[in-house]
Amino acid sequence: MPQQPPLPDAPILTLDLADWNAATPDEGWIAALEAGKVLYFPHLSFAFGDAERAALLRPELLAQGSRNISLNAQGELKGAAGDAATQQLAAEVIGRFRQQAQALVHGLLPSYTPFLRLAPTSLRPAQVESRVQSWRADDRRLHIDAFPSRPNYGERILRVFANVNPHGEPRVWRVGEPFEDVARRFLPRARRYARWQARALRSLRVTKTLRSEYDHLMLQLHDGMKGDADYQANAPQQTMPFAAGSVWICFSDQTPHAVMAGQFMMEQTLHLPAERQYNVQSSPLAILTRLAGHPLV
Ligand code: SIN
Ligand code: FE
């Protein structure tokens, strides 16, 4: 039995919603989401037609060397194998998920709507348990999302996930402690930010734009968590099987998460400027700035 200390309070809120277009804003849910909790919708599912399911929910649909199949904001499909008709169908179905995910977020969080920036929508047919990855890329380790090549200066990463497994298999996550606890634990061990290094990374095109101190610290937290076996085993956490035919959302730059098992998921990423949150003080940027004692972007 794991001996992890308990989380200060439940990291997952379960909601009854069963219709993608019927979400309405609720102060309590919004505060919970912005505090880093996961909103779980066990009765909300993304529906496939029989022909769509047969054509698309197959691991062979993933092109060799690709991690996911994705539809970018311009509507182009990437990472899919298969003939033109299959690819067309994949683009249609992923596009339909995008519409529904956006409707859900607009309904739940209407004041975000004008400020959201659409990122790619993905279909992930790979089986989690058998994926082979370096420790840094291994999402089976608890982490917060932070990307080495794309500095975001505090912009939020809001994600809508749907378990579309056709065999009834859950997608099993671990969900970790509040972001501020992560930050207090790992900031003292973080390497110092050096602007000359950030400039060098940009001139070498390791980063697309200058890595800010915020982006540096987020990567230090990401790597600090993933690289610490004791933290992985013993940090406060809850294991959560998200049922086949369910949906959940969280700010994945804030909520520590790890995926332990499952296959076939769809995911929509939406970006939000941190200053457009309902409670600006709850963002990773605000928390890290407060702990660091100086501006980070
Ligand atoms: C992630 O860590 O963002 C991936 C989660 C998943 O694949 O379920
Ligand atoms: Fe992640």
Side-chain angles (χ1 to χ4, degrees):
M1 280 298 284
Q3 295 298 312
Q4 299 111 2
L7 288 162
D9 51 3
I12 298 156
L13 243 75
T14 301
L15 305 175
D16 269 340
L17 188 74
D19 177 346
W20 292 90
N21 293 300
T24 51
D26 174 282
E27 247 176 62
W29 307 345
I30 294 171
L33 180 74
E34 290 193 346
K37 295 188 189 298
V38 178
L39 303 187
Y40 176 41
F41 303 91
H43 308 301
L44 193 61
S45 71
F46 179 72
F48 279 82
D50 290 339
E52 292 172 347
R53 186 179 304 109
L56 304 181
L57 296 185
R58 295 181 299 125
E60 306 77 52
L61 191 65
L62 196 59
Q64 283 240 311
S66 299
R67 222 176 132 170
N68 300 317
I69 296 166
S70 66
L71 187 71
N72 71 15
Q74 289 71 45
E76 296 158 344
L77 190 72
K78 307 256 169 87
D83 58 20
T86 306
Q87 298 215 8
Q88 174 63 33
L89 188 65
E92 268 170 44
V93 171
I94 298 173
R96 189 169 80 230
F97 173 69
R98 171 180 293 178
Q99 294 298 326
Q100 297 187 347
Q102 287 178 302
L104 173 67
V105 168
H106 295 170
L108 284 174
L109 303 149
S111 78
Y112 290 1
T113 302
F115 306 106
L116 291 170
R117 187 169 68 79
L118 185 67
T121 315
S122 67
L123 169 62
R124 305 181 181 204
Q127 191 189 39
V128 168
E129 296 93 311
S130 57
R131 246 165 19 193
V132 180
Q133 272 154 343
S134 70
W135 69 269
R136 212 180 241 120
D138 188 358
D139 291 338
R140 289 174 295 196
R141 299 177 186 221
L142 277 170
H143 66 283
I144 49 152
D145 287 349
F147 303 108
S149 65
R150 284 171 282 142
N152 70 20
Y153 289 75
E155 188 181 43
R156 304 306 314 277
I157 304 172
L158 179 62
R159 291 193 146 153
V160 181
F161 301 94
N163 181 357
V164 296
N165 186 285
H167 314 298
E169 293 162 12
R171 197 168 188 93
V172 181
W173 274 28
R174 294 185 288 145
V175 180
E177 63 187 348
F179 182 85
E180 183 156 341
D181 295 356
V182 174
R184 287 184 184 280
R185 203 187 290 267
F186 288 98
L187 278 186
R189 312 184 208 165
R191 286 207 319 266
R192 295 273 291 275
Y193 177 67
R195 187 163 287 265
W196 69 266
Q197 277 172 341
R199 287 205 193 93
L201 291 172
R202 184 182 46 183
S203 36
L204 295 168
R205 299 178 199 279
V206 174
T207 61
K208 297 200 167 81
T209 54
L210 190 76
R211 184 181 287 171
S212 66
E213 184 167 0
Y214 170 79
D215 291 287
H216 168 79
L217 291 177
M218 291 294 280
L219 283 167
Q220 289 286 305
L221 298 186
H222 172 276
D223 291 0
M225 296 167 84
K226 279 190 175 174
D228 184 337
D230 178 64
Y231 183 74
Q232 292 296 321
N234 299 317
Q237 57 191 279
Q238 179 179 324
T239 295
M240 177 68 195
F242 293 109
S246 75
V247 168
W248 61 105
I249 72 179
C250 71
F251 278 111
S252 63
D253 52 353
Q254 178 174 11
T255 307
H257 59 285
V259 57
M260 308 315 290
Q263 187 172 17
F264 303 111
M265 181 176 76
M266 296 182 87
E267 170 271 335
Q268 175 67 60
T269 301
L270 296 163
H271 294 294
L272 178 78
E275 65 273 19
R276 300 298 180 181
Q277 291 186 209
Y278 289 80
N279 174 9
V280 174
Q281 295 313 317
S282 71
S283 70
L285 178 60
I287 292 169
L288 291 179
T289 303
R290 175 160 49 76
L291 295 178
H294 60 260
L296 300 176
V297 293

